[in-house]
Amino acid sequence: MSSQSNAVETEVLIIGAGPAGSSAAALLATYGISNIMINKYGGVSNSPRAHITNQRAVEVLRDLGLEKSLLESATPQRLMGEHVYGTSLAGRELGRLRTWYTHPHFQAEHDLASPCSVCDMPQDRMEPILVNAAASRGSTVRFNTEFVRFAQDADGVTTRVRDRVSGHEYDIRSKYLIGADGGNSMVAKQLELPLEGQTGLGGSINIVFDADLTQYCAHRPGDMYWFIQPGVGMNGFGIGVLRMVRPWTRWMAVWGYDVNGPKPELTEEEGVRIAHQIIGDKSIVVKVESMSLWTTNDIHATNNMNGRVFCAGDAVHRHPPMNGLGSNTSIQDSYNLCWKLATVLRGHASPSLLETYRDERVPVGKQIVKRANKSMHLMPPLFGALKLPQSPDVDTMNKVMDDLGAPTEEAAQRRRDFDAALQNTVMCFNTHGVELNQSYTSAAIVDDGTPKRDAPRDEEIYYWSTTQPGRHLPHVWLIKDQRRVSTFDLCGRGEFTLLTGICGDRAWREAAGRVTEELGVPVRVHTIGRGCEYEDSYNDYRTMCEVEEDGVLLVRPDHMVAWRANDASGDPSTQLRNVFAQILGRH
């Protein structure tokens, strides 16, 4: 590498401009941290690969001031939920599910959990919003720039990169490096991060195409349609998927291929053939935009950092698209890491704070990989319930479908088995708890001394609203100037926040002032209750906060509850000062 004196300099270098990298750049730039983001390719993703954007990810965009831009381009929840199972889009229906929390029962819990709503935002529309925000707020964005290697020392990281247009190589010197370079991460490889699991468990073909399918979809709006057909897929069975990209004219068809055989030829003719097979109507005009192959993985890293180098996103967790957890978890990786980098770079915290990125996010990566693979295995029982043979032909498939409607006890049992298997697949889409119930244990979470309570229901399925340290601050609506304001909007934006009631206002404001004076860390304070800055008009905060009126919640910049005090007894200033000393590694 060239001498450091000749290197381009920045505080943080980000490799990759996908969901993890572009959100990291936008967050750091918003926090006032200089950063350079490089991307190997000439632009952002040209494929709508990832698309489900869950409530947690939308909250990150909201905190960045980008929620409005997101919703202007996204397909809303109300057009996502009718998941049809059938023989083709134009063929017979075998059943439906109301997914993505559009069933009235799940819709209520979805709406109570957050001020934000799940939506369908294709990756090729999401990335420009994040990249543009990063660039407009101060990030330096360099496309056609390829990562070559890095070397870290006690003071920083020197990274060699290559301009893919000119071939020129040069060094970028940074305090820290984020590897957000996807499932084939060269940063993770050089860092020798330990990975557990398997790759290449199954193969799929994506065909992105334009076709007007309004006549088949507008009356049953959903973002995915599932079709049981002869072909190559899970265990020799075929499930064709039609995924809405834009209603109802832009689509992605997904079909399987045998990873142990030769790779399929990605011709336009084959793309049209697969699209027509899934649609079931060859009169529909299909214009193929692109085709690509991908494989199913079950991989997670048991470590996501080493020294001054961190990895985020698909670099450290790779899994099937079930439950739509990929880009969402990638964005949340960056949300967890970037406030910590900013706090350390400002001199407010010891570098030990950064170690908590490993402690907090590695378990989340493992959980979502296992959940997505578990969900994937909910599909094959559909074929078992139908008693289809391995790799059935068209005639066999048609006979089985005809027999499913027969007025016999054998057919009745088959219908019961199939309906039960179909209903079980709702866990491929509705795992509210997996999305929202992150529970962190690290030095950046301070125990409040109260016994830990167990969730009252299955934590993978249902969100649990609690202010236990390590959990996400629950959302409730408050009132200010006669307008509703979420508890979420009182916090974040790169700063710590104290939430207290009228009886704790003076004590906790004085405590926050002492922390700011002694440690230099800004701490905002909001008072909630009758006659306070924020009125608890619905009486929801009193129930949600789980502390007394003179108690307090300490909320981190990523909206996680770092600590709480039931009341203001003792010495609040000393208590809070000691809590911050632990979180910041400044004992």
Side-chain angles (χ1 to χ4, degrees), residues 380-530:
L382 291 170
F383 297 96
L386 292 173
K387 301 190 182 305
L388 281 164
Q390 195 92 349
S391 302
D393 57 28
V394 174
D395 291 339
T396 301
M397 181 74 78
N398 288 337
K399 184 177 186 307
V400 168
M401 294 302 177
D402 290 338
D403 290 347
L404 190 64
T408 65
E409 179 52 38
E410 180 184 359
Q413 184 59 51
R414 192 173 297 183
R415 288 191 290 271
R416 287 192 289 269
D417 292 344
F418 179 79
D419 291 342
L422 190 152
Q423 290 298 319
N424 284 340
T425 65
V426 76
M427 283 294 287
C428 296
F429 318 103
N430 284 24
T431 48
H432 207 203
V434 175
E435 297 171 15
L436 306 186
N437 282 334
Q438 288 89 359
S439 182
Y440 293 161
T441 301
S442 76
I445 300 296
V446 182
D447 184 31
D448 68 336
T450 60
K452 297 294 184 184
R453 294 186 295 121
D454 293 329
R457 297 182 294 175
D458 188 324
E459 280 210 76
E460 288 216 317
I461 302 174
Y462 300 102
Y463 168 54
W464 180 32
S465 173
T466 177
T467 62
Q468 285 186 178
R471 295 281 183 159
H472 187 284
L473 174 71
H475 151 72
V476 296
W477 291 112
L478 307 173
I479 303 297
K480 182 177 182 180
D481 299 330
Q482 301 181 353
R483 288 173 171 79
R484 294 201 311 175
V485 181
S486 170
T487 46
F488 178 91
D489 296 321
L490 273 58
C491 307
R493 299 187 299 282
E495 293 187 0
F496 286 90
T497 306
L498 289 179
L499 301 180
T500 188
I502 188 170
C503 294
D505 180 77
R506 180 175 179 180
W508 294 112
R509 286 188 187 275
E510 289 178 355
R514 177 181 172 187
V515 167
T516 300
E517 181 181 356
E518 294 187 11
L519 301 179
V521 181
V523 184
R524 69 168 72 92
V525 183
H526 291 304
T527 309
I528 300 169
R530 191 177 304 278

Side-chain angles (χ1 to χ4, degrees), residues 16-19 21-30 35 37 39 42-45 61 64-66 69-70 72-73 121 123-143:
S22 58
S23 58
L27 286 161
L28 290 169
T30 303
N35 68 89
M37 177 171 64
N39 197 44
V44 295
S45 173
L61 275 288
L64 280 166
L66 300 175
S69 297
L70 170 77
E72 286 174 350
S73 294
M121 182 62 165
Q123 187 171 340
D124 56 353
R125 287 175 172 261
M126 171 75 85
E127 287 181 10
I129 291 174
L130 290 167
V131 171
N132 289 340
S136 67
R137 298 176 189 187
S139 294
T140 299
V141 180
R142 299 187 177 187
F143 290 107

Side-chain angles (χ1 to χ4, degrees), residues 17 46 78 80 113 133 150 208-209 215 238 313 394 438 462 545 587:
N46 61 359
R78 61 183 174 80
M80 294 170 58
F150 71 83
V208 180
F209 65 95
Q215 61 179 311
V394 174
Q438 288 89 359
Y462 300 102
C545 69
H587 293 290

Side-chain angles (χ1 to χ4, degrees), residues 80-83 97-103 223 426 429-430:
M80 294 170 58
E82 288 289 316
H83 275 216
L97 290 176
R98 282 179 283 192
T99 62
W100 306 128
Y101 320 110
T102 54
H103 187 286
D223 72 331
V426 76
F429 318 103
N430 284 24

Side-chain angles (χ1 to χ4, degrees), residues 212-233:
D212 187 351
L213 301 180
T214 304
Q215 61 179 311
Y216 294 119
C217 301
H219 58 288
R220 47 180 184 174
D223 72 331
M224 302 182 81
Y225 301 81
W226 302 77
F227 307 114
I228 299 175
Q229 298 181 342
V232 178

Side-chain angles (χ1 to χ4, degrees), residues 5-41:
S5 60
N6 295 326
V8 176
E9 293 189 0
T10 190
E11 290 181 290
V12 181
L13 173 62
I14 303 161
I15 312 297
S22 58
S23 58
L27 286 161
L28 290 169
T30 303
Y31 299 158
I33 302 300
S34 69
N35 68 89
I36 296 174
M37 177 171 64
I38 69 169
N39 197 44
K40 178 179 179 180
Y41 304 103

